[in-house]
């Protein structure tokens, strides 16, 4: 296991249809390999990678979920505590793109409101088989105010970037949050406003 | 002789070389002095050489004796030389002889090998003949084992040898044998298949096993295993179908009926496990290692089929799907159309957990057996083969229909279990009761009982993912739902009314109204004494509840860790993955504990601000109405009738009695700590507003001592530190003269650490009416070491 001292800990959950390449993306990032002939994920897989960003140690807890329908209820239980969601589809599979609204509904229902969502179009190495145009996906992502990135787990294109950019964004948001909190949190001593009195349900 | 000479010559040349004077030098000499000096030197050298020569000459006799001896040895040497050349001749001869022999040996070896091969071939041919004859006889006698043994012998012969033999002289005879053998082989294969099929049809186990054993001898491993498995599957199917009919229609006792589908599935899986157990030895013995996988693969097909039937029946009979849909829709909508009693879900949830646990147990059994069987054969095989075997086994076990069916059941189970947990917790909250004399109310125990029950049930399913999902949901229920309930209760606040306030009449009523207005609680006035009392109790109970929650969460996590360790020690969820997943989910769960702690802290601060501060502040203000600018008479009067501190202590005692009775000791202690901080802060302010005479200072010192002594008895926290500043103020107010402060300050302070700044010290000194301000000011200027600057 990696060392316990870190400056940030983030939970990243990968979701998306079966076979779009979630496991391959995670393996590429955490182990630097493209696994040949590994089967569909059962339930959820869990991996940890610690990276250093601007001198800060960032521990990424990566939950690779199964895309198959019957695992949906297991997967859903991880949304709430996720800091970021990587919603993946396969650019060579129109169907996986058309399911995105359904996934967004899941996110809406189960994830916490501050979650960062990235849309990822995977398998760009299969250029000649592309079914979803980049522009179309970009447009969709923008409309849903998601980040968008195209990757190839096979060729290792943009995989590192995907996770590192995400980590950067999470660090930025975490810092912003703690700033907001320290401003609004009452000073100790007299006249302290009780924060639970203000907290909204 | 020559040897001696040369050695002398060498010595001489050495000494000549070492002569300090060369001929050239001598010839170039012109001065007498120098000549004389060189002459002297040469003379000395000559003397040295002479003595050396003498020494050498004296050795002559000795050397001559040695020469004589050597001359006498001459003939002997000639003899030796002759012997040596003779020996050399002999060695050369022996050597060529040896080489000769070894090449013959090599030839012999080659011949021997060829001979062996010839014998082997002859043996093979003989065997071939023997097999040919043997097969015929065996077949005639229906001794299939013998016939198969012959065919096996034939099959294991070196095919190239047979080919060679056919090209040899005996070709026709061999050909004939071969043809016969091949014919017999085909015949035997057909026969054995037919007989095995017959035996399977008859359900004759002895015959099935008999022919099953013959298959590998004929090289028909896969076919044999497939047919045997087919037989086993037929048995399995009929037994399982029988069981299912019994399950659906049977008149069983209430207790068995509740788990009848789980029981039926268990019977099926145990049946297969027993089959594997029983037949593994035959397969191992007759088919060799690594074949168990093939057999199990065939059996699994039937297992899948039968398990599916059982589960289908379960789903229909128990209305599983429908229950799920009701739960699903009532969780989606805020006002559900049809609500389901959580209790109604208990039986199906339990049954699914048991079914999955049995399936996991069964799959674990298969994994162990197949792995062990593969390991025997793979020990010598290349690594890639072993990996391939491992992969195909994982694929079989993870993706078989049984696994998928169970995954589907668990997929529905989780939302239902979540619903069960949420609804039950809501109920516990709605039915919350509080009994007088208890610190906590019923919903905390109830809530944790429910959460524990749900997670334990998920754990009993042996599915790590199911367990993790339920831990996640439990975290959500505790952190959001339940914490919110407690938060809301605290948000209602602690009513600022006290019985004394109301008894004290109008003036208090005004202040009461003011404090109520300040808090936006107009109702407090209208609220009867009784309901105000209830609200207070409710607030205190909630604080206790919050504290117990944060402790219970830690206990829950510890217990779960132990339970999981037990599960792992039984071999479930093997691998670090499962452990890491659970650890991570449990870490999330336990982190909610601190959120409850934070809530407790906020609640206590609220209590301190609304219930303690408004009371304590006026009591401390009373201190101001007692003059500390006093003389002997008044001091004595105070001595006899304490003017303030005793009443203050009594008041505090009364105020805190309610909290002491209503709060758990730990919380009460934290509250008293907040209170003492408040008192020391307020006292300080009051003191700075007073003036003191010498005796007034003494009076204050007495009062402070009483107060600190009292507060020390009510809390386990150290009071001294909180009252350090006040104590130091009392010290200052007790001085005889201004300059006396220098005995306590700076290098004279000893173990005392001043908590007051120099400015504050001067400020306190100024409270003494008998200290002149010039003296105090002068402290600054006169103090030699800038003591109070
Ligand atoms: N050409 C190409 N193939 C890919 C890429 N990423 C994944 N694949 C292939 O896509 C298939 C599915 O990949 P997985 O990573 O198992 O997909 P998944 O999203 O994890 O699927 P589930 O676990 O069932 O949800 C595999 O055969 C991979 O080899 C990629 O970038 N390029
Ligand atoms: Mg996967």
């Amino acid at each position: 296991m990696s060392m316990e001292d870190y400056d940030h800990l983030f939970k990243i959950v990968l979701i998306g249809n079966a076979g779009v390449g979630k496991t391959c993306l995670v393996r590429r990032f955490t182990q630097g390999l493209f696994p040949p002939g590994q089967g569909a994920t059962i339930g959820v897989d869990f991996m940890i990678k610690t990276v250093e960003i601007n001198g800060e140690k960032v521990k990424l807890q990566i939950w690779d979920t199964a895309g198959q329908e019957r695992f949906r209820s297991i997967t859903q239980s991880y949304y709430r505590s996720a800091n970021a969601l990587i919603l993946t589809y396969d650019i060579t599979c129109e169907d996986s793109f058309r399911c995105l609204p359904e996934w967004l509904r899941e996110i809406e229902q189960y994830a916490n409101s501050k979650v960062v969502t990235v849309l990822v179009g995977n398998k760009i190495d299969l250029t000649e088989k592309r079914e979803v145009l980049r522009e179309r996906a970009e447009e969709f992502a923008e409309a849903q105010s998601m980040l968008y990135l195209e990757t190839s787990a096979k060729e290792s294109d943009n995989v590192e970037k995907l996770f590192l950019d995400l980590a950067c964004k999470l660090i930025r948001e975490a810092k912003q949050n703690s700033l907001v909190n320290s401003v609004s949190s009452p000073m100790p001593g007299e006249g302290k406003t009780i924060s639970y009195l203000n907290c909204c349900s | 002789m020559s040897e001696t000479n040369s050695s002398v010559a060498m010595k001489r040349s050495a000494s000549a070389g070492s002569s300090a004077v060369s001929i050239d030098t001598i010839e170039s000499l012109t001065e007498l002095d120098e000549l004389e000096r060189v002459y002297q030197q040469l003379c000395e050298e000559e003397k040295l050489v002479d003595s050396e020569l003498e020494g050498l000459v004296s050795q002559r006799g000795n050397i001559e004796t040695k020469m004589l001896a050597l001359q006498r040895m001459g003939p002997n040497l000639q003899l030796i030389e002759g012997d040596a050349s003779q020996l050399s001749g002999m060695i050369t001869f022996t050597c060529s002889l040896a080489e000769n022999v070894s090449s013959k040996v090599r030839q012999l070896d080659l011949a021997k090998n060829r001979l062996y091969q010839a014998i082997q071939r002859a043996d093979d041919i003989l065997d071939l003949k023997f097999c040919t004859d043997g097969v015929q006889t065996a077949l005639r006698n229906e001794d299939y084992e013998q016939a198969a043994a012959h065919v096996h012998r034939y099959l294991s012969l070196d095919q190239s040898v047979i080919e060679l033999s056919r090209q040899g002289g005996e070709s026709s005879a061999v050909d004939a044998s071969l043809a016969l053998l091949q014919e017999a082989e085909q015949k035997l294969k057909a026969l054995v298949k037919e007989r095995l099929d017959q035996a399977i049809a008859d359900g004759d186990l002895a015959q099935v096993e008999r022919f099953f054993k013959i298959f590998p001898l004929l090289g028909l491993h896969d076919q044999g295993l497939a047919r045997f498995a087919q037989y086993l599957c037929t048995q399995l199917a009929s037994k399982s179908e029988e069981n299912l009919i019994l399950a659906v229609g049977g008149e069983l006792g209430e207790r068995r009926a509740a788990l009848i589908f789980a029981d039926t599935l268990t019977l099926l899986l145990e049946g297969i496990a027993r089959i594997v157990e029983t037949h593994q030895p035959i397969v191992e013995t007759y088919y060799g290692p690594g074949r168990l996988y093939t057999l199990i693969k065939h059996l699994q097909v039937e297992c899948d089929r039968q398990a599916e039937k059982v589960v289908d029946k379960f789903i229909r009979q128990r209305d599983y799907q429908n229950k799920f849909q009701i739960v699903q829709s009532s969780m989606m909508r805020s006002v559900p159309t049809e609500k389901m009693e959580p209790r109604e879900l208990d039986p199906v949830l339990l049954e699914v957990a048991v079914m999955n646990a049995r399936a996991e147990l069964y799959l674990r059994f298969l994994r162990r057996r197949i792995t062990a069987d593969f390991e025997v054969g793979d020990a010598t095989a290349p690594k890639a083969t072993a990996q391939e075997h491992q992969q195909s086994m994982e694929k079989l076990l993870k993706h078989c229909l049984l696994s998928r069916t169970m995954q589907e059941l668990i997929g529905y189970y989780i939302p239902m279990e979540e619903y069960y947990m949420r609804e039950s917790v809501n109920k516990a909250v709605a039915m919350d009761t509080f009994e007088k004399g208890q610190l906590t109310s019923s919903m905390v125990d109830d809530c944790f009982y429910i959460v524990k029950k749900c997670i334990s049930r998920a754990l009993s399913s042996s599915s790590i993912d199911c367990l993790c999902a339920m831990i996640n949901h439990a975290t959500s229920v505790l952190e959001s739902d339940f914490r919110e309930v407690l938060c809301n209760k605290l948000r209602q606040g602690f009513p600022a009314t006290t019985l004394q306030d109301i008894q004290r009449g109008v003036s208090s009523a005004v202040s009461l109204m003011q404090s109520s207005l300040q808090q936006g609680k107009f109702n407090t006035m209208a609220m009867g004494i009784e309901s105000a009392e209830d609200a207070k109790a409710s607030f205190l109970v909630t604080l206790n509840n919050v504290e117990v929650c944060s402790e219970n969460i830690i206990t829950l996590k510890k217990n779960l860790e132990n339970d999981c360790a037990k599960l792992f020690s039984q071999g479930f969820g093997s691998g670090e993955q499962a452990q890491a997943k659970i650890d991570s989910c449990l870490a999330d769960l336990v982190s909610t504990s601190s959120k409850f702690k934070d809530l407790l802290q906020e609640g206590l601060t609220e209590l301190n601000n609304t219930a303690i501060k408004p009371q304590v502040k006026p009591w401390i203000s009373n201190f101001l109405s007692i003059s500390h600018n006093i003389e002997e008479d008044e001091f004595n009067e105070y001595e006899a009738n304490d003017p303030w501190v005793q009443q203050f202590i009594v008041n505090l005692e009364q105020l805190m009695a309610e909290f002491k009775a209503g709060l758990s000791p730990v919380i009460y202690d934290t509250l008293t700590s907040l209170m003492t901080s408040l008192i020391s802060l307020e006292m300080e302010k009051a003191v700075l507003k007073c003036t003191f005479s010498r005796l007034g200072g003494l009076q204050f010192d007495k009062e402070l001592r009483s107060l600190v002594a009292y507060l020390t008895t009510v809390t386990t926290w150290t009071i001294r530190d909180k009252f350090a500043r006040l104590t130091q103020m009392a010290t200052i107010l007790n001085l005889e003269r201004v300059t006396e402060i220098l005995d306590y300050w700076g290098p004279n302070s000893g173990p005392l650490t001043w908590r007051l700044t120099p400015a504050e010290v001067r400020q306190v000194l100024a409270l003494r009416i008998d200290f002149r301000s010039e003296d105090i000011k002068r402290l600054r200027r006169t103090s030699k070491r800038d003591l109070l600057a």
Side-chain angles (χ1 to χ4, degrees), chain A residues 16-25 34-35 38-41 64-68 122-126 151-155:
Chain A
N17 276 17
V20 298
K22 298 181 291 297
T23 302
C24 289
L25 284 170
F34 184 71
Q38 113 277 343
T41 306
D64 170 26
T65 67
Q68 285 170 320
N122 188 36
K123 306 198 190 175
I124 47 167
D125 53 294
L126 302 173
T151 59
S152 166
K154 192 174 177 198
E155 302 296 328

Side-chain angles (χ1 to χ4, degrees), chain B residues 242-503:
Chain B
E242 209 173 284
N243 282 338
L244 190 57
I245 290 167
L246 270 177
V248 178
E251 295 136 33
L252 297 141
E254 191 80 3
R255 273 193 53 229
R256 255 183 70 78
L259 282 173
I260 189 60
F261 293 104
D263 283 350
T264 309
L265 184 69
T266 308
L267 286 177
L268 168 68
L269 300 178
E270 281 177 353
I272 300 170
R274 212 170 306 116
I275 285 174
V276 171
E277 194 109 79
T278 319
H279 298 289
Q280 189 179 7
I282 298 197
V283 176
E284 247 171 33
T285 315
Y286 294 91
Y287 283 68
R291 302 282 180 175
L292 189 64
Y293 167 75
T294 315
L295 180 69
I296 288 178
K297 205 167 103 184
H298 289 300
L299 290 176
Q300 191 53 40
V301 175
E302 191 59 38
C303 172
D304 285 345
R305 204 177 298 147
Q306 295 304 326
E308 194 184 21
K309 281 187 192 170
V310 175
V311 172
D312 271 356
K313 264 272 156 32
F314 162 80
I315 289 174
R316 253 178 293 143
Q317 201 108 338
R318 303 283 199 228
D319 221 6
Y320 192 61
Q321 209 91 36
N322 190 37
K323 286 193 171 86
F324 166 74
Q325 250 131 34
I326 297 171
V327 163
Q328 183 84 339
S329 65
S330 70
M331 281 211 290
M332 296 284 248
R333 277 173 234 118
S334 48
V335 188
T337 43
E338 194 181 354
K339 231 172 154 78
M340 164 109 37
E341 264 296 302
R343 228 175 321 126
E344 276 179 51
L345 294 173
D346 254 332
V348 273
L349 292 177
L350 181 65
E351 198 164 15
V352 169
V354 173
M355 279 198 265
N356 194 72
R358 292 299 142 78
E360 295 265 351
L361 197 66
Y362 164 77
L363 291 169
R364 194 168 59 102
F365 168 81
L366 293 189
R367 176 172 283 117
R368 260 202 333 256
R369 288 302 168 103
I370 296 174
T371 308
D373 187 50
F374 269 144
E375 266 169 7
V376 178
D378 289 349
T380 51
K383 217 175 161 190
T385 318
Q387 253 168 9
E388 202 179 297
H389 283 159
Q390 176 75 18
Q391 261 180 10
S392 42
M393 175 186 76
E394 287 301 327
K395 207 165 184 171
L396 170 68
L397 299 183
K398 275 195 185 142
H399 300 279
C400 65
L401 185 64
L402 173 69
S403 289
R404 275 181 285 143
T405 311
M406 287 303 137
Q407 288 156 4
E408 234 150 66
L409 283 184
I410 290 291
Y412 295 129
Y413 168 97
I414 292 169
M416 286 199 250
E417 187 73 273
E418 183 197 354
Y419 175 83
Y420 181 93
M421 182 159 67
R422 282 188 200 279
E423 281 300 305
S424 308
V425 167
N426 286 346
K427 269 205 174 148
V429 170
M431 288 169 26
D432 187 34
T433 54
F434 163 66
E435 277 172 35
K436 249 189 145 51
Q438 291 247 266
L439 291 175
T440 57
S441 67
S442 66
M443 68 173 170
V444 177
D445 279 354
D446 291 352
C447 168
F448 277 90
Y449 171 80
I450 294 156
V451 169
K452 193 167 158 30
K453 175 178 173 173
C454 293
I455 297 180
S456 299
R457 188 155 50 199
L459 183 94
S460 78
S461 77
S462 306
S463 159
I464 302 298
D465 281 323
C466 176
L467 170 63
C468 286
M470 284 318 298
I471 295 175
N472 291 342
H473 286 310
T475 305
S476 160
V477 165
L478 291 173
E479 187 179 302
S480 307
D481 303 18
F482 197 59
R483 189 173 161 280
E484 194 59 29
V485 167
L486 296 172
C487 208
N488 279 333
K489 284 196 185 277
L490 289 183
R491 231 174 272 174
Q492 286 164 12
F494 188 83
T497 56
T498 67
L499 205 52
Q500 295 113 297
D501 279 331
I502 289 160
Q503 285 167 340

Side-chain angles (χ1 to χ4, degrees), chain B residues 694-709:
Chain B
R694 167 76 187 83
L695 282 174
L698 188 58
Q699 172 68 19
F700 170 58
D701 191 59
K702 276 173 59 186
E703 286 164 338
L704 188 63
R705 280 170 205 277
S706 304
L707 187 58
V708 170

Side-chain angles (χ1 to χ4, degrees), chain A residues 145-199:
Chain A
S145 51
M146 287 184 284
L147 306 170
Y148 180 65
L149 206 61
E150 294 200 338
T151 59
S152 166
K154 192 174 177 198
E155 302 296 328
S156 195
D157 277 346
N158 272 345
V159 177
E160 197 88 346
K161 182 176 163 57
L162 166 64
F163 285 96
L164 295 186
D165 282 3
L166 191 54
C168 280
K169 187 167 170 62
L170 289 171
I171 292 174
R172 244 179 292 132
E173 304 222 326
K175 288 191 171 157
Q176 221 155 31
N177 267 343
S178 67
L179 210 67
V180 169
N181 279 348
S182 69
V183 166
S184 71
S185 78
M187 296 299 289
E190 282 193 56
K192 173 171 169 173
T193 50
I194 306 300
S195 64
Y196 65 74
L197 291 175
N198 308 332
C199 78

